[in-house]
Structures are given as C-alpha cells and as structure tokens.
C-alpha cells in the first residue's frame, strides 16, 4: 500500500524526498502504551475511570516516545485552496469566499482564531492555491501550487507532480513546527467546493456508494445536493481512480489543501508528533495519508463526528473513534482546536495526579 | 410538583427559606436565545455550523440575561458525604476512602484538581458529612449534616429537616459564589456507596426498573452488583417513596452531598448562574432539584454521558443531551470541568468572531 512510483511523473528528487518521508514513519510502541496505563492505574481514581481520556494520554506518550510528558506545545495548521469543480455549482457560497476567509483568518476574526486562542495554539494559515493570490502583507504563508485545481469532471484536479509538491510543502511546515518544539498539531481547511473533493476521495479510496459519501457541506439544498452527486459520478467516471495508486487518486480527485494536509500528517508522524484531525475534509486528507503510509495512522486523533453525511463512513475507513459529536460542520480546524482541551486534560491527569500511595488513599477492598 | 409542605417536619424558618428559594427561580427567556442566535448568524461561518456550541452560547446568554457575555468566571463545587448503606457491601472501596479523597482534594492531588486547574475554575470542596470529621486545617469547607446518612434499607437515609438543611447549605454556597461574580458553576461529588443512593432516587422519581437504574459504580463485580440491586429493592420497599413528594424522596433515599448539590442548583438557578452537571450522582441531585423546582432545569447543562448503567435513563428524565461521551465514571465533577472548555469556546465564538459585514466576506449565493 505504499506509493505507486510508477504513477509518479515528477522529478527524481521529489520522488526520493517523499519516499524517504514515508519510510521514516515508525509505528508507535505498544510497550509505551502499557507503561503509561500502569502509571495511570496508580493514580487516585478507580482503574480506567477516566475512560478515553486515559487512552489519549497513553497514545500521546507512545507517539512522543516519553513516559514523562509535559503539556503539549500546540499548533494548528489551516490550509486553504480553491477547487476547479466549484464552477459546477456544488457549493452554497461563491468561490471568492475561500480567499475572503483566508484574509479573515489572517485578521483573527474567524471561528478558528477564537478557538486557537482558547487553547493557546499557534495558528499557521497557509495559502495552498486560492484563485487570486493574497498580498504578502496579509500574513498568510504562501505555498501556492497553482491558482486553484482543475475541474475534476474534465480530468485530474491536479497532476501527480503537483500533488507531490503539495504534500512536500505541508511536510515542510510540519517539520519546521516539530523542530520548533511543537508536540501536538491540529489540521483544518478552507476551500469552497472541497467537500466535493473529499467525498470523491472517500468513494475512490473505499468504494462506498457516492450518495452515502456526499453531504450538504456548508448547507446546500436538495437540488444542489443532487447535482453534487452527479458531479462526483462524472469525476470518477472521467478519472477512473485506481485505489492501488493512492497518490494518483489524491491527484485526480483531491485539492491542494487536502494534499498539503496529508503532507502535514506524514511529516508530523515521522517526527513523532500526534495530529488531531478536524472534520470531513481533513479526514479525507488523513485517509490519503494513511493510504500512502499506513503507519501514519498511529499518530492520528479524531476530534469529532461532524454533521456532514459520509463522515461516519470516513471515520470507519480511518478506524478512528471521534472524541465528541457537537453537530459541527464548519471545518477550519474548529473541532481539532476543541479536542486539544481533552489532550491537555489527559496530560494533566498523568502529570499532576497523586498516586494511592502518595495520597494515603486505600485501593480497592481485598474482599472481592 | 412543588414541595409537599405536608411532609416538612422541620423548622418554620427553614421551610420559608426553601419556599422562597424555589419561588425565586425564573425560567429563561426564549427571546434572549433568539437574539443570541441572530448575533451568531451574522458571524463569518455557515449558519448553525457550530452546532451545539451555538446552543451553549444561546443558553448561557439567556441564563445570564445578557447579550454581551464575557468569559465566565468558573467555580466547581465538589461535595462529599458518607452513606449508611455502604455497610451493605455495595461498593468496591472501603468507606474510609470518602474522607481520604476529601483530603486528596484539599491537597490538590485528585483528578478534579488537575481538571479545575486546566479551566481556571475555583474548586470549593465541601464536607457535607463524612463519618469522621476533618481537621479545620484541612482546607475543606465543613457543612456537616451528620456523620454519614443512615442505612436506607432500614429506614430513611436522613430526616426531611436534614435534607432541607443540606439543600440550604448548598444554596448558601452557591449564593456566595454568585455574589462573588462567579457566572458558571459545575458540580461534583464523592461518597462511597453514593451510586446506590443515586440509583434509588432515579427509580423513585421515574419508576424505571431497578436493574436498569443500577450499575457498577467504581467497578464492582457481578456478585456485588446483584447485592446492590437487592439493597435498592429493600430500600424502596422499606421507605415507600412517594414521587409526589420530591423532598421526602430525596430525604429517604439520597445523601447529604446529593441534597447539598440540589441546593447548589436551586440557588444558582435563582441567581441566573448556569450549572454544569457531571455524571450519575450529580445527575440524581439535578433530578431532585427539578422535581422540587421545575424551572431550575433551564439552568442545567449536562456535560457527559458516563459509563454508569442508568445514566442514559437519568439524562432522559432530565431531558438533557450530554455534550460528550468519553466513557468516564469517576465523578468528582471531572466531566463538568471538562465541559467548561466548551462553554468558554462558545462564549469566545460569540464575543470574538467577526461578522460577514465587518470581515468583508460574502454570504450565501443568492442563486439558490
């Protein structure tokens, strides 16, 4: 299930870099999970009574390869790009909203800004390729692969070299963050029509029916939803994605921000940094990432189950159980930011609680 | 469904005080929910795309009777008491653990200490009546109604005057906190055998079968669980609780900490302070509170669905939908503390996000 190099038409060095990245990802060690659980079991609480918070602590420690974690230094990477398929009329919003929202992120006025502030996460906003570039003064990091993808109903959304370039751009950002001491990342996205791309990827990677993989995105009505399903049908018929070639699937049906986020995941995993996925689109990026490098799955945390139709199937394909379901359907990394509170809580439990011995508390009765 | 005064054998002034408290609780205004939602709808996000986070913001504003909320000042009230029914062998832990954990709370080593620190909540630890009193130096607030309740399989756990005294003690603490500017409260508890009391209350208030209302608490095995069910059967047979007399039901089958927390809820509601419920036992306190004063329900937020059997039925009886399910079964207010992160997030969304107009973002296409 690793990269199908036959499909890679790009430069030799790009290919080597991606190959090296994928092969540098190591599965997490079960022994570290076990040892962290043993430490939790000595804390003054009934065994396993903090449920999935304990699992989070174990997974975080195993990912970080430490038994003495400190509170994570957190970054949220939010990538935006435009989608050629938007011209098919699959969204409730006009395409210029992608760029407008990027500026809103830069100015601090979006939901993700408020939520990133709450968890003290560094917010990294990346232009992976909106139609019209932003001025350098906007404070948005430019990693533009192009002025939006092509319309996937007429051919591939991007070329394989573009997909590789986007992955490596995301990987570079994650590497910088890991080198800067960030120990927990969250991912989010913005891109008018990108639920269409995400649904198409889910269908191509898993074979689920298009209608079950397709939802209302930002809030489309029945007529647009029917059109969206037809658009995905055409995109699949035209591109004939082969799931044995995961990178090619990503190129044909994905988006620059989706490929970029897949790169963030691969590089974070290589650097032993857990990544919190947000909703449907960042989930599709995660699916692409684990199809390219299955070991990356060990570093993923699913934040929430969104209101988007198809997200349940996507989480099943990722084999991840979300932490909460608040009927969110915003994207931007909003759910990932909220989930960071749970990771902080899990690490505090591990780092700050007394043990039965240190607190002089009796453990279970022996009378059982 | 208000208090059955015929059942009240206590002092005239106590009765008057409780009556005044109950009648001072006002339902929240639907108009404030509507206006808060309208404000949220102008923010740069698809309408209702933040789902239940938006509901939380609306409810908080309506409870506080404000359209311009600031981040809540938060308090967690954790009450502990012992239960006579513990002598029936219904718990996995010995009774002295109640007092030991109270000291652990006071020393900052319990899960709730770590979680309260995370959300910057003031932690108020109250001894409502553990068997052996703590030294004054322990830093625990003493509101002792007695040295633990009586064994409810042989008669009422407490007298009606004791129940009133416990409610008024809790109400006094919540009033102090509200007067001190606290605008969000969470409740939690500690008390070996108190899931037995909570299950008995659920059965008495709703009529659900005992087996469906009874669970494993801190982790009892099948044999102890079978005994626990029999103990509750006997407690109900002996006390013959009449659900038309909610205060009497609370006295017969409750606990000092459960009655105290019901008092916290009543007084918080009277002071327009929302209260986040934790798990099964604080949920039983909430059920008692709304049976005594139905309008108090408007001020309640359910944090999580716990792993305890019967919690789902309890949440149904409360008509509240929990915010998350992490398989917690600790109590102490742990879930309430975690949920405070969501309230903070909801208020930040409302207070910090730009509007479509202010950010220059296009709203939905008119082309639908």
């Amino acid at each position: 299930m690793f990269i199908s190099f036959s499909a890679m038409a790009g430069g030799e060095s790009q290919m080597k870099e991606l190959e090296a990245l994928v092969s540098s990802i190591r599965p997490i060690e079960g022994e570290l999970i076990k040892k962290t659980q043993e430490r939790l079991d000595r804390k003054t609480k009934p065994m396993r009574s903090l449920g999935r918070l304990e699992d989070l602590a174990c997974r975080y420690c195993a990912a970080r390869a430490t038994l003495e974690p400190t509170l994570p230094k957190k970054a949220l990477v939010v990538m935006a790009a435009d989608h050629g398929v938007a011209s098919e009329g699959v969204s409730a919003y006009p395409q210029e909203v992608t760029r407008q929202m990027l500026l809103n992120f830069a100015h601090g006025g979006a939901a993700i800004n408020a939520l990133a502030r709450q968890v003290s996460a560094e917010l990294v906003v990346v232009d992976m390729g909106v139609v019209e570039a932003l001025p350098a003064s906007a404070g948005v990091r430019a990693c533009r692969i192009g002025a939006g993808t092509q319309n996937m109903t007429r051919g591939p959304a991007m070329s394989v070299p573009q997909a590789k370039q986007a992955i490596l751009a995301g990987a570079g950002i994650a590497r910088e963050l890991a080198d800067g001491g960030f120990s927990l990342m969250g991912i989010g996205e913005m891109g008018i029509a990108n639920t269409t791309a995400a649904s198409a990827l889910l269908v191509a990677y898993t074979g689920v029916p298009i209608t079950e993989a397709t939802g209302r995105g930002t809030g489309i009505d029945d007529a647009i939803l029917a059109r969206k399903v037809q658009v995905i049908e055409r995109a699949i018929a035209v591109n004939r994605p082969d799931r044995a070639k995961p990178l090619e699937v990503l190129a044909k049906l994905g988006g620059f921000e989706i490929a970029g986020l897949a790169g963030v995941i691969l590089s974070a995993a290589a650097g032993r940094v857990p990544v919190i996925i947000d909703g449907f689109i960042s989930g599709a990026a995660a699916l692409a990432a684990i199809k390219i490098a299955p070991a990356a799955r060990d570093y993923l945390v699913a934040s929430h189950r969104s209101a988007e139709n198809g997200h349940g199937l996507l989480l099943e394909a990722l084999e991840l159980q979300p932490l909460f379901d608040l009927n969110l359907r915003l994207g931007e990394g909003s759910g990932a930011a909220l989930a960071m509170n749970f990771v902080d809580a899990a690490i505090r439990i591990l780092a700050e609680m007394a043990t039965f011995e240190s607190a002089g508390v009796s453990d279970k009765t022996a009378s059982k």
Side-chain angles (χ1 to χ4, degrees), chain A residues 32-235:
Chain A
L32 285 166
I33 289 183
K34 190 166 154 272
K35 282 190 171 150
T36 305
Q37 187 62 59
E38 283 166 6
R39 189 174 165 206
L40 285 165
D41 291 346
R42 290 191 294 273
K43 304 291 186 179
T44 49
K45 56 172 189 55
M47 210 174 274
R48 292 286 308 160
S49 60
L50 284 171
R52 296 193 57 213
L53 224 46
E54 301 194 23
D55 297 333
L56 258 185
C58 291
R59 183 152 288 257
Y60 183 86
C61 289
R64 298 295 298 152
T66 179
L67 291 171
E68 299 283 346
T70 52
L71 280 179
K73 186 175 172 187
K74 301 180 277 283
L76 283 158
V77 182
V78 180
M79 294 184 157
D82 273 313
H83 292 257
V85 76
S87 65
E88 300 291 331
V90 287
S91 177
Y93 287 81
Q95 190 171 51
E96 58 262 32
V97 169
T98 309
R99 185 175 185 275
Q100 289 166 349
M101 283 302 296
L102 255 187
L103 284 168
N104 196 19
F105 299 155
H107 295 155
I112 192 57
N113 299 99
L115 297 174
R117 278 190 289 270
Q118 192 202 351
V119 294
S120 303
E122 175 93 8
L123 182 62
V124 183
V125 179
V126 187
D127 173 8
M128 291 299 296
V130 298
V131 168
E132 187 193 341
L134 280 80
S137 61
V140 167
R141 183 157 173 162
C143 296
R144 298 172 56 76
I145 312 298
T149 52
Q150 300 299 304
N151 182 340
M152 65 176 178
T153 64
R154 299 182 188 174
M158 55 188 141
S159 67
V160 169
Q162 280 183 317
K164 281 188 288 190
Q165 192 189 340
I167 290 172
L168 292 174
I173 289 170
R175 195 178 313 114
E176 263 178 47
L177 289 168
D179 289 347
F182 287 92
S183 56
L184 179 64
M185 293 185 203
I187 57 172
E189 46 52 52
M190 173 69 213
I192 294 303
N194 67 3
T195 56
T196 304
S199 294
L201 287 172
L202 174 58
V203 168
Y205 282 130
T206 68
V208 298
I210 294 176
T211 49
E212 289 179 30
T214 308
R216 293 181 187 274
T218 50
I220 56 176
D221 61 22
D222 289 347
I224 305 184
L225 179 60
R227 183 156 69 216
K228 187 173 171 179
V229 167
Q230 289 166 2
V231 161
I232 295 170
E233 275 168 4
R234 271 157 52 209

